[in-house]
Amino acid sequence: MKIIVDLNLCQDHGQCAIAAPAVFRMTDEGKLEYEEIADEARRAEVEEAADVCPVQAILIEG
């Protein structure tokens, strides 16, 4: 599945990194990094991460 994060909308709250740490993580500078392509086995985690994003900046395709 493809993950798209609107980095203009993202406010680096880090809730996605808590929900799906294998896909989303925060840098030492407090900025979001993520895997653009994730294994389908992680879909539930990624969907949870999208759900908990306070600004709904995460889109899942596929």
Side-chain angles (χ1 to χ4, degrees):
M1 91 191 95
K2 183 175 181 179
I3 301 166
I4 300 167
V5 177
D6 183 337
L7 295 175
N8 292 315
L9 189 59
C10 176
Q11 297 176 353
D12 299 312
H13 291 109
Q15 296 302 308
C16 57
I18 295 168
V23 178
F24 301 93
R25 65 200 147 279
M26 302 304 289
T27 68
D28 290 339
E29 293 80 30
K31 295 294 180 184
L32 177 67
E33 290 183 338
Y34 67 101
E35 303 298 322
E36 291 183 21
I37 304 295
D39 190 289
E40 189 64 31
R42 299 205 180 277
R43 179 171 288 276
E45 295 173 63
V46 174
E47 287 177 348
E48 177 67 18
D51 287 344
V52 299
C53 177
V55 295
Q56 299 298 289
I58 302 169
L59 177 65
I60 303 165
E61 290 183 349

Short mmCIF file of all heavy atoms in Angstrom, two decimals:
data_model
loop_
_atom_site.label_atom_id
_atom_site.label_comp_id
_atom_site.label_asym_id
_atom_site.label_seq_id
_atom_site.Cartn_x
_atom_site.Cartn_y
_atom_site.Cartn_z
N MET A 1 0.84 -1.17 0.00
CA MET A 1 0.00 0.00 0.00
C MET A 1 0.88 1.23 0.00
O MET A 1 1.99 1.21 0.52
CB MET A 1 -0.94 -0.04 1.18
CG MET A 1 -0.44 0.63 2.44
SD MET A 1 -1.40 0.31 3.90
CE MET A 1 -0.47 -1.06 4.54
N LYS A 2 0.38 2.29 -0.60
CA LYS A 2 1.12 3.55 -0.66
C LYS A 2 0.59 4.50 0.40
O LYS A 2 -0.62 4.60 0.61
CB LYS A 2 0.97 4.17 -2.05
CG LYS A 2 1.77 5.44 -2.21
CD LYS A 2 1.69 5.96 -3.63
CE LYS A 2 2.52 7.22 -3.74
NZ LYS A 2 2.52 7.76 -5.10
N ILE A 3 1.52 5.17 1.08
CA ILE A 3 1.16 6.12 2.13
C ILE A 3 1.58 7.51 1.67
O ILE A 3 2.71 7.72 1.23
CB ILE A 3 1.86 5.77 3.45
CG1 ILE A 3 1.47 4.36 3.88
CG2 ILE A 3 1.53 6.79 4.53
CD1 ILE A 3 2.33 3.79 4.97
N ILE A 4 0.65 8.43 1.78
CA ILE A 4 0.93 9.82 1.43
C ILE A 4 0.64 10.67 2.66
O ILE A 4 -0.43 10.56 3.25
CB ILE A 4 0.05 10.29 0.26
CG1 ILE A 4 0.31 9.42 -0.97
CG2 ILE A 4 0.29 11.77 -0.04
CD1 ILE A 4 -0.72 9.59 -2.06
N VAL A 5 1.62 11.47 3.05
CA VAL A 5 1.42 12.40 4.16
C VAL A 5 1.54 13.81 3.60
O VAL A 5 2.53 14.15 2.96
CB VAL A 5 2.46 12.19 5.29
CG1 VAL A 5 2.27 13.22 6.37
CG2 VAL A 5 2.35 10.78 5.86
N ASP A 6 0.53 14.60 3.81
CA ASP A 6 0.57 16.01 3.41
C ASP A 6 1.44 16.73 4.43
O ASP A 6 0.99 17.07 5.52
CB ASP A 6 -0.84 16.59 3.38
CG ASP A 6 -0.87 18.03 2.89
OD1 ASP A 6 0.16 18.73 2.99
OD2 ASP A 6 -1.95 18.47 2.44
N LEU A 7 2.71 16.90 4.09
CA LEU A 7 3.65 17.50 5.03
C LEU A 7 3.39 18.99 5.25
O LEU A 7 3.88 19.56 6.23
CB LEU A 7 5.08 17.26 4.56
CG LEU A 7 5.50 15.79 4.56
CD1 LEU A 7 6.89 15.62 3.97
CD2 LEU A 7 5.43 15.19 5.96
N ASN A 8 2.60 19.61 4.39
CA ASN A 8 2.19 20.99 4.63
C ASN A 8 1.11 21.06 5.70
O ASN A 8 1.01 22.04 6.43
CB ASN A 8 1.68 21.65 3.34
CG ASN A 8 2.79 21.84 2.34
OD1 ASN A 8 3.88 22.28 2.68
ND2 ASN A 8 2.52 21.49 1.10
N LEU A 9 0.32 20.01 5.80
CA LEU A 9 -0.74 19.92 6.79
C LEU A 9 -0.22 19.34 8.11
O LEU A 9 -0.66 19.75 9.19
CB LEU A 9 -1.88 19.07 6.24
CG LEU A 9 -3.17 18.99 7.00
CD1 LEU A 9 -3.79 20.37 7.19
CD2 LEU A 9 -4.15 18.08 6.27
N CYS A 10 0.70 18.39 8.02
CA CYS A 10 1.26 17.72 9.20
C CYS A 10 1.86 18.73 10.17
O CYS A 10 2.59 19.63 9.77
CB CYS A 10 2.33 16.72 8.76
SG CYS A 10 3.17 15.89 10.13
N GLN A 11 1.54 18.57 11.44
CA GLN A 11 2.06 19.46 12.48
C GLN A 11 3.03 18.72 13.41
O GLN A 11 3.34 19.20 14.50
CB GLN A 11 0.91 20.09 13.28
CG GLN A 11 0.04 20.97 12.41
CD GLN A 11 -1.15 21.52 13.15
OE1 GLN A 11 -1.44 21.16 14.30
NE2 GLN A 11 -1.89 22.40 12.50
N ASP A 12 3.49 17.55 13.00
CA ASP A 12 4.48 16.76 13.74
C ASP A 12 4.06 16.43 15.17
O ASP A 12 4.87 16.45 16.09
CB ASP A 12 5.84 17.47 13.72
CG ASP A 12 6.39 17.64 12.31
OD1 ASP A 12 6.37 16.65 11.56
OD2 ASP A 12 6.83 18.75 11.96
N HIS A 13 2.78 16.08 15.34
CA HIS A 13 2.31 15.66 16.66
C HIS A 13 2.92 14.32 17.07
O HIS A 13 3.10 14.06 18.24
CB HIS A 13 0.78 15.54 16.68
CG HIS A 13 0.08 16.85 16.58
ND1 HIS A 13 -0.60 17.23 15.45
CD2 HIS A 13 -0.03 17.87 17.45
CE1 HIS A 13 -1.12 18.42 15.64
NE2 HIS A 13 -0.78 18.85 16.84
N GLY A 14 3.16 13.45 16.09
CA GLY A 14 3.78 12.16 16.37
C GLY A 14 2.83 11.05 16.77
O GLY A 14 3.27 9.96 17.13
N GLN A 15 1.53 11.29 16.71
CA GLN A 15 0.58 10.24 17.08
C GLN A 15 0.68 9.04 16.14
O GLN A 15 0.53 7.90 16.56
CB GLN A 15 -0.85 10.80 17.07
CG GLN A 15 -1.08 11.88 18.10
CD GLN A 15 -0.80 11.40 19.50
OE1 GLN A 15 -1.31 10.38 19.95
NE2 GLN A 15 0.03 12.15 20.21
N CYS A 16 0.99 9.30 14.87
CA CYS A 16 1.14 8.20 13.91
C CYS A 16 2.34 7.33 14.27
O CYS A 16 2.30 6.11 14.11
CB CYS A 16 1.28 8.74 12.49
SG CYS A 16 2.65 9.90 12.25
N ALA A 17 3.40 7.94 14.76
CA ALA A 17 4.60 7.20 15.14
C ALA A 17 4.33 6.30 16.35
O ALA A 17 4.96 5.25 16.49
CB ALA A 17 5.75 8.16 15.44
N ILE A 18 3.42 6.70 17.18
CA ILE A 18 3.03 5.86 18.32
C ILE A 18 2.15 4.71 17.84
O ILE A 18 2.33 3.57 18.27
CB ILE A 18 2.29 6.71 19.39
CG1 ILE A 18 3.26 7.74 19.98
CG2 ILE A 18 1.68 5.82 20.47
CD1 ILE A 18 2.60 8.81 20.83
N ALA A 19 1.24 4.98 16.91
CA ALA A 19 0.32 3.96 16.42
C ALA A 19 0.99 2.95 15.50
O ALA A 19 0.63 1.77 15.51
CB ALA A 19 -0.85 4.63 15.69
N ALA A 20 1.96 3.41 14.70
CA ALA A 20 2.60 2.51 13.73
C ALA A 20 4.09 2.82 13.64
O ALA A 20 4.58 3.35 12.65
CB ALA A 20 1.94 2.68 12.36
N PRO A 21 4.84 2.47 14.68
CA PRO A 21 6.26 2.83 14.73
C PRO A 21 7.13 2.16 13.66
O PRO A 21 8.22 2.64 13.37
CB PRO A 21 6.69 2.41 16.13
CG PRO A 21 5.69 1.38 16.55
CD PRO A 21 4.41 1.76 15.88
N ALA A 22 6.65 1.09 13.06
CA ALA A 22 7.42 0.45 11.99
C ALA A 22 7.34 1.23 10.68
O ALA A 22 8.14 1.03 9.78
CB ALA A 22 6.93 -0.98 11.77
N VAL A 23 6.37 2.14 10.59
CA VAL A 23 6.14 2.89 9.36
C VAL A 23 6.44 4.38 9.53
O VAL A 23 6.98 5.03 8.65
CB VAL A 23 4.70 2.68 8.86
CG1 VAL A 23 4.41 3.49 7.62
CG2 VAL A 23 4.42 1.20 8.63
N PHE A 24 6.06 4.93 10.69
CA PHE A 24 6.22 6.35 10.97
C PHE A 24 7.20 6.53 12.13
O PHE A 24 7.19 5.76 13.08
CB PHE A 24 4.88 6.99 11.37
CG PHE A 24 3.81 6.85 10.33
CD1 PHE A 24 2.92 5.78 10.36
CD2 PHE A 24 3.68 7.78 9.33
CE1 PHE A 24 1.93 5.65 9.41
CE2 PHE A 24 2.68 7.67 8.37
CZ PHE A 24 1.81 6.60 8.41
N ARG A 25 8.02 7.56 12.05
CA ARG A 25 8.95 7.85 13.16
C ARG A 25 9.26 9.34 13.16
O ARG A 25 9.15 10.02 12.14
CB ARG A 25 10.22 7.02 13.04
CG ARG A 25 11.06 7.33 11.84
CD ARG A 25 12.03 6.18 11.52
NE ARG A 25 12.24 6.08 10.09
CZ ARG A 25 11.44 5.48 9.22
NH1 ARG A 25 10.34 4.89 9.63
NH2 ARG A 25 11.71 5.44 7.94
N MET A 26 9.68 9.81 14.30
CA MET A 26 10.06 11.20 14.46
C MET A 26 11.58 11.30 14.49
O MET A 26 12.25 10.49 15.14
CB MET A 26 9.47 11.77 15.76
CG MET A 26 7.95 11.67 15.86
SD MET A 26 7.06 12.44 14.50
CE MET A 26 7.36 14.17 14.86
N THR A 27 12.12 12.29 13.79
CA THR A 27 13.57 12.51 13.79
C THR A 27 13.99 13.14 15.11
O THR A 27 13.15 13.56 15.91
CB THR A 27 14.00 13.44 12.64
OG1 THR A 27 13.48 14.75 12.90
CG2 THR A 27 13.53 12.92 11.29
N ASP A 28 15.27 13.23 15.33
CA ASP A 28 15.78 13.89 16.54
C ASP A 28 15.37 15.36 16.57
O ASP A 28 15.32 15.96 17.64
CB ASP A 28 17.31 13.78 16.61
CG ASP A 28 17.77 12.36 16.88
OD1 ASP A 28 16.96 11.55 17.39
OD2 ASP A 28 18.94 12.06 16.58
N GLU A 29 15.09 15.92 15.39
CA GLU A 29 14.66 17.32 15.31
C GLU A 29 13.14 17.46 15.47
O GLU A 29 12.60 18.56 15.38
CB GLU A 29 15.08 17.93 13.96
CG GLU A 29 16.58 18.09 13.81
CD GLU A 29 17.27 16.77 13.42
OE1 GLU A 29 16.65 15.92 12.74
OE2 GLU A 29 18.42 16.59 13.83
N GLY A 30 12.43 16.34 15.66
CA GLY A 30 10.99 16.37 15.87
C GLY A 30 10.17 16.43 14.60
O GLY A 30 9.00 16.79 14.63
N LYS A 31 10.77 16.03 13.47
CA LYS A 31 10.07 16.02 12.19
C LYS A 31 9.67 14.59 11.83
O LYS A 31 10.39 13.63 12.13
CB LYS A 31 10.94 16.60 11.08
CG LYS A 31 11.26 18.07 11.28
CD LYS A 31 10.02 18.90 11.15
CE LYS A 31 10.29 20.37 11.33
NZ LYS A 31 9.06 21.15 11.30
N LEU A 32 8.55 14.46 11.15
CA LEU A 32 8.05 13.15 10.75
C LEU A 32 8.82 12.59 9.57
O LEU A 32 9.09 13.30 8.59
CB LEU A 32 6.56 13.26 10.37
CG LEU A 32 5.92 11.98 9.86
CD1 LEU A 32 5.85 10.93 10.98
CD2 LEU A 32 4.56 12.25 9.28
N GLU A 33 9.16 11.31 9.65
CA GLU A 33 9.68 10.52 8.54
C GLU A 33 8.77 9.30 8.45
O GLU A 33 8.23 8.84 9.46
CB GLU A 33 11.10 10.04 8.80
CG GLU A 33 12.14 11.11 8.79
CD GLU A 33 13.55 10.54 8.98
OE1 GLU A 33 13.70 9.43 9.51
OE2 GLU A 33 14.48 11.25 8.59
N TYR A 34 8.61 8.78 7.23
CA TYR A 34 7.74 7.62 7.07
C TYR A 34 8.12 6.84 5.83
O TYR A 34 8.78 7.34 4.94
CB TYR A 34 6.27 8.05 7.01
CG TYR A 34 5.91 8.84 5.77
CD1 TYR A 34 5.26 8.24 4.72
CD2 TYR A 34 6.21 10.20 5.68
CE1 TYR A 34 4.91 8.96 3.57
CE2 TYR A 34 5.87 10.93 4.56
CZ TYR A 34 5.23 10.30 3.51
OH TYR A 34 4.90 11.02 2.39
N GLU A 35 7.67 5.60 5.81
CA GLU A 35 7.86 4.73 4.65
C GLU A 35 6.72 5.03 3.67
O GLU A 35 5.56 4.99 4.04
CB GLU A 35 7.79 3.25 5.07
CG GLU A 35 8.79 2.87 6.13
CD GLU A 35 10.23 3.05 5.70
OE1 GLU A 35 10.54 2.76 4.53
OE2 GLU A 35 11.03 3.49 6.54
N GLU A 36 7.06 5.34 2.43
CA GLU A 36 6.02 5.66 1.44
C GLU A 36 5.28 4.41 0.98
O GLU A 36 4.12 4.50 0.57
CB GLU A 36 6.63 6.39 0.26
CG GLU A 36 7.10 7.78 0.62
CD GLU A 36 7.62 8.55 -0.57
OE1 GLU A 36 7.29 8.20 -1.72
OE2 GLU A 36 8.38 9.49 -0.35
N ILE A 37 5.95 3.28 1.03
CA ILE A 37 5.33 2.00 0.67
C ILE A 37 5.42 1.09 1.89
O ILE A 37 6.49 0.90 2.45
CB ILE A 37 6.05 1.34 -0.51
CG1 ILE A 37 6.10 2.26 -1.72
CG2 ILE A 37 5.40 0.00 -0.86
CD1 ILE A 37 4.76 2.59 -2.34
N ALA A 38 4.27 0.55 2.29
CA ALA A 38 4.24 -0.34 3.46
C ALA A 38 3.63 -1.68 3.07
O ALA A 38 2.77 -1.75 2.19
CB ALA A 38 3.45 0.28 4.60
N ASP A 39 4.08 -2.71 3.73
CA ASP A 39 3.56 -4.05 3.51
C ASP A 39 2.08 -4.10 3.91
O ASP A 39 1.67 -3.49 4.89
CB ASP A 39 4.38 -5.03 4.37
CG ASP A 39 4.06 -6.46 4.04
OD1 ASP A 39 2.95 -6.92 4.38
OD2 ASP A 39 4.93 -7.12 3.45
N GLU A 40 1.32 -4.83 3.14
CA GLU A 40 -0.11 -4.97 3.40
C GLU A 40 -0.38 -5.53 4.80
O GLU A 40 -1.41 -5.22 5.41
CB GLU A 40 -0.74 -5.88 2.33
CG GLU A 40 -2.23 -5.94 2.36
CD GLU A 40 -2.92 -4.61 2.06
OE1 GLU A 40 -2.39 -3.79 1.29
OE2 GLU A 40 -4.01 -4.39 2.63
N ALA A 41 0.54 -6.28 5.35
CA ALA A 41 0.38 -6.84 6.69
C ALA A 41 0.31 -5.74 7.76
O ALA A 41 -0.16 -5.97 8.86
CB ALA A 41 1.53 -7.80 7.00
N ARG A 42 0.76 -4.55 7.43
CA ARG A 42 0.75 -3.43 8.38
C ARG A 42 -0.46 -2.52 8.19
O ARG A 42 -0.55 -1.47 8.81
CB ARG A 42 2.02 -2.63 8.24
CG ARG A 42 3.27 -3.44 8.54
CD ARG A 42 4.39 -2.55 8.98
NE ARG A 42 5.58 -3.30 9.27
CZ ARG A 42 5.84 -3.92 10.42
NH1 ARG A 42 4.97 -3.86 11.40
NH2 ARG A 42 6.96 -4.58 10.59
N ARG A 43 -1.40 -2.91 7.34
CA ARG A 43 -2.55 -2.06 7.03
C ARG A 43 -3.29 -1.59 8.29
O ARG A 43 -3.62 -0.41 8.40
CB ARG A 43 -3.52 -2.75 6.09
CG ARG A 43 -4.73 -1.85 5.77
CD ARG A 43 -5.60 -2.41 4.67
NE ARG A 43 -4.98 -2.31 3.38
CZ ARG A 43 -5.02 -1.21 2.61
NH1 ARG A 43 -5.62 -0.13 3.03
NH2 ARG A 43 -4.45 -1.21 1.43
N ALA A 44 -3.58 -2.48 9.22
CA ALA A 44 -4.34 -2.09 10.42
C ALA A 44 -3.59 -1.01 11.20
O ALA A 44 -4.21 -0.04 11.67
CB ALA A 44 -4.61 -3.31 11.30
N GLU A 45 -2.27 -1.15 11.34
CA GLU A 45 -1.48 -0.14 12.05
C GLU A 45 -1.52 1.20 11.33
O GLU A 45 -1.66 2.25 11.96
CB GLU A 45 0.00 -0.56 12.12
CG GLU A 45 0.33 -1.77 12.91
CD GLU A 45 1.79 -2.11 12.70
OE1 GLU A 45 2.66 -1.30 13.07
OE2 GLU A 45 2.07 -3.19 12.15
N VAL A 46 -1.35 1.15 10.00
CA VAL A 46 -1.33 2.39 9.22
C VAL A 46 -2.70 3.07 9.24
O VAL A 46 -2.79 4.29 9.37
CB VAL A 46 -0.86 2.10 7.78
CG1 VAL A 46 -0.98 3.33 6.91
CG2 VAL A 46 0.58 1.59 7.79
N GLU A 47 -3.76 2.28 9.16
CA GLU A 47 -5.11 2.87 9.26
C GLU A 47 -5.32 3.51 10.62
O GLU A 47 -5.92 4.58 10.72
CB GLU A 47 -6.17 1.81 8.98
CG GLU A 47 -6.22 1.43 7.51
CD GLU A 47 -7.22 0.33 7.19
OE1 GLU A 47 -7.73 -0.33 8.13
OE2 GLU A 47 -7.48 0.10 6.00
N GLU A 48 -4.84 2.87 11.67
CA GLU A 48 -4.93 3.45 13.01
C GLU A 48 -4.15 4.76 13.08
O GLU A 48 -4.60 5.75 13.65
CB GLU A 48 -4.42 2.47 14.06
CG GLU A 48 -4.41 3.01 15.48
CD GLU A 48 -5.79 3.27 16.05
OE1 GLU A 48 -6.78 2.75 15.54
OE2 GLU A 48 -5.87 4.02 17.05
N ALA A 49 -2.96 4.77 12.49
CA ALA A 49 -2.15 5.99 12.47
C ALA A 49 -2.88 7.12 11.75
O ALA A 49 -2.89 8.26 12.22
CB ALA A 49 -0.81 5.71 11.79
N ALA A 50 -3.51 6.80 10.63
CA ALA A 50 -4.28 7.81 9.89
C ALA A 50 -5.45 8.31 10.73
O ALA A 50 -5.74 9.51 10.75
CB ALA A 50 -4.76 7.24 8.57
N ASP A 51 -6.10 7.41 11.44
CA ASP A 51 -7.25 7.77 12.27
C ASP A 51 -6.86 8.69 13.43
O ASP A 51 -7.62 9.58 13.79
CB ASP A 51 -7.95 6.53 12.83
CG ASP A 51 -8.73 5.78 11.77
OD1 ASP A 51 -8.99 6.34 10.69
OD2 ASP A 51 -9.08 4.60 12.02
N VAL A 52 -5.69 8.46 14.02
CA VAL A 52 -5.32 9.25 15.20
C VAL A 52 -4.64 10.57 14.85
O VAL A 52 -4.43 11.40 15.73
CB VAL A 52 -4.42 8.46 16.19
CG1 VAL A 52 -5.15 7.24 16.71
CG2 VAL A 52 -3.09 8.10 15.58
N CYS A 53 -4.34 10.79 13.58
CA CYS A 53 -3.71 12.04 13.18
C CYS A 53 -4.67 13.20 13.45
O CYS A 53 -5.77 13.24 12.91
CB CYS A 53 -3.34 12.01 11.70
SG CYS A 53 -2.63 13.55 11.11
N PRO A 54 -4.27 14.15 14.30
CA PRO A 54 -5.18 15.25 14.67
C PRO A 54 -5.59 16.13 13.50
O PRO A 54 -6.66 16.73 13.55
CB PRO A 54 -4.38 16.06 15.69
CG PRO A 54 -3.29 15.18 16.16
CD PRO A 54 -3.02 14.21 15.05
N VAL A 55 -4.77 16.20 12.46
CA VAL A 55 -5.09 17.06 11.32
C VAL A 55 -5.44 16.27 10.07
O VAL A 55 -5.61 16.84 9.00
CB VAL A 55 -3.95 18.06 11.04
CG1 VAL A 55 -3.78 19.02 12.20
CG2 VAL A 55 -2.65 17.36 10.72
N GLN A 56 -5.55 14.91 10.22
CA GLN A 56 -5.92 14.03 9.12
C GLN A 56 -5.02 14.24 7.89
O GLN A 56 -5.49 14.39 6.77
CB GLN A 56 -7.40 14.21 8.76
CG GLN A 56 -8.33 13.86 9.91
CD GLN A 56 -8.20 12.40 10.33
OE1 GLN A 56 -8.62 11.53 9.62
NE2 GLN A 56 -7.60 12.15 11.48
N ALA A 57 -3.71 14.24 8.12
CA ALA A 57 -2.73 14.48 7.06
C ALA A 57 -2.30 13.21 6.33
O ALA A 57 -1.54 13.30 5.38
CB ALA A 57 -1.51 15.17 7.65
N ILE A 58 -2.79 12.04 6.75
CA ILE A 58 -2.32 10.77 6.19
C ILE A 58 -3.37 10.18 5.27
O ILE A 58 -4.54 10.02 5.65
CB ILE A 58 -1.98 9.77 7.30
CG1 ILE A 58 -0.91 10.36 8.21
CG2 ILE A 58 -1.55 8.43 6.72
CD1 ILE A 58 -0.69 9.58 9.49
N LEU A 59 -2.95 9.83 4.04
CA LEU A 59 -3.82 9.20 3.06
C LEU A 59 -3.22 7.84 2.70
O LEU A 59 -1.99 7.74 2.52
CB LEU A 59 -3.91 10.07 1.81
CG LEU A 59 -4.71 9.52 0.64
CD1 LEU A 59 -6.18 9.40 1.00
CD2 LEU A 59 -4.54 10.42 -0.58
N ILE A 60 -4.06 6.83 2.59
CA ILE A 60 -3.63 5.48 2.23
C ILE A 60 -4.22 5.15 0.87
O ILE A 60 -5.42 5.28 0.66
CB ILE A 60 -4.11 4.45 3.28
CG1 ILE A 60 -3.60 4.82 4.67
CG2 ILE A 60 -3.67 3.04 2.88
CD1 ILE A 60 -4.30 4.09 5.78
N GLU A 61 -3.36 4.72 -0.04
CA GLU A 61 -3.81 4.29 -1.37
C GLU A 61 -3.48 2.81 -1.55
O GLU A 61 -2.40 2.38 -1.19
CB GLU A 61 -3.11 5.09 -2.47
CG GLU A 61 -3.54 6.54 -2.53
CD GLU A 61 -2.88 7.27 -3.68
OE1 GLU A 61 -1.94 6.73 -4.30
OE2 GLU A 61 -3.31 8.40 -3.97
N GLY A 62 -4.41 2.11 -2.15
CA GLY A 62 -4.15 0.70 -2.47
C GLY A 62 -4.50 -0.26 -1.41
O GLY A 62 -4.76 -0.10 -0.31
#
